[in-house]
């Protein structure tokens, strides 16, 4: 049976010491972290690679694929990584093409992020610095006597 087929899941519910048997029909299989019943599905792996290629996060891919993040990491980590790598390669190719064709904004962004350039300004000061840091405030007269009258 394909992993994406509809399954009937038998659930035993205990309420106030009484057992109830329920038959629940789900659109997708119920998969829990402890579930040993999951088998890797090639079709689901291809869908996960496609979703990662479109830029979806791991959490969003797990929700869309109706699997837990644990199952995604355990069985489909390679497919997710392949898709994410394809997305990054495609974006880099487009950005480099735009930069080489004269798109100044993308060119500046790539220079800053890939070459480490930045636009910080260096301020240099020459001369004497006469600043005082004190825990006790001084009056105007004390300040003038201590710092201004010395030349």
């Amino acid at each position: 049976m394909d992993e994406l087929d509809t399954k009937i899941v038998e659930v035993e519910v205990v309420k106030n010491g009484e057992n109830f048997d329920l038959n629940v029909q789900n659109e997708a299989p119920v998969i829990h972290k402890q579930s040993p019943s999951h088998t890797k599905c090639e079709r689901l792996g291809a869908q996960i690679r496609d979703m990662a290629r479109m830029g979806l996060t791991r959490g969003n891919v797990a929700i869309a694929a109706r699997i837990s993040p644990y199952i995604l990491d355990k069985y489909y980590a390679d497919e997710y990584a392949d898709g994410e790598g394809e997305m990054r390669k495609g974006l880099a190719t487009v950005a480099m093409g735009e930069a080489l064709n004269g798109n100044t904004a993308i060119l500046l962004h790539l220079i800053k992020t890939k070459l480490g350039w930045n636009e910080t300004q260096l301020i240099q000061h020459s001369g004497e610095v006469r600043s005082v840091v004190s825990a006790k405030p001084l009056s105007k007269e004390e300040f003038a006597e201590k710092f201004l009258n010395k030349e």
Side-chain angles (χ1 to χ4, degrees):
M1 175 183 278
D2 190 13
E3 193 62 39
L4 298 178
D5 290 339
T6 302
K7 291 185 179 179
I8 296 178
V9 179
E10 293 183 19
V11 179
E12 182 178 318
V13 177
V14 178
K15 182 178 179 183
N16 295 332
E18 296 182 44
N19 290 340
F20 297 95
D21 289 326
L22 302 175
N23 286 331
V24 180
Q25 187 170 353
N26 290 331
E27 297 272 331
V30 177
I31 300 172
H32 298 288
K33 188 173 181 177
Q34 300 84 6
S35 176
S37 65
H38 184 81
T39 55
K40 189 170 181 175
C41 173
E42 293 301 319
R43 190 173 85 195
L44 182 58
Q47 290 173 347
I48 288 171
R49 188 179 59 252
D50 290 342
M51 287 186 275
R53 187 183 307 134
M54 290 186 282
L56 272 69
T57 64
R58 282 189 183 302
N60 288 338
V61 169
I63 290 169
R66 294 185 176 197
I67 59 175
S68 70
Y70 174 80
I71 296 295
L72 176 66
D73 290 340
K74 183 175 180 181
Y75 293 98
Y76 303 103
D78 291 340
E79 288 82 353
Y80 184 84
D82 290 346
E84 190 176 40
E86 291 173 19
M87 179 217 29
R88 289 176 183 268
K89 180 181 176 185
L91 287 174
T93 302
V94 170
M96 287 301 295
E98 285 290 316
L100 295 174
N101 286 330
N103 187 330
T104 307
I106 289 181
L107 179 61
L108 290 174
H109 174 74
L110 290 174
I111 287 173
K112 290 176 188 177
T113 58
K114 299 302 176 191
L115 298 179
W117 293 15
N118 58 40
E119 296 179 10
T120 58
Q121 296 179 357
L122 178 63
I123 299 174
Q124 294 181 342
H125 182 274
S126 61
E128 184 179 345
V129 176
R130 297 180 74 182
S131 63
V132 178
V133 177
S134 173
K136 176 186 161 221
L138 299 175
S139 67
K140 288 181 184 179
E141 295 80 24
E142 290 173 326
F143 181 81
E145 180 183 324
K146 189 169 187 175
F147 297 106
L148 298 180
N149 294 335
K150 295 180 182 178
E151 290 192 61

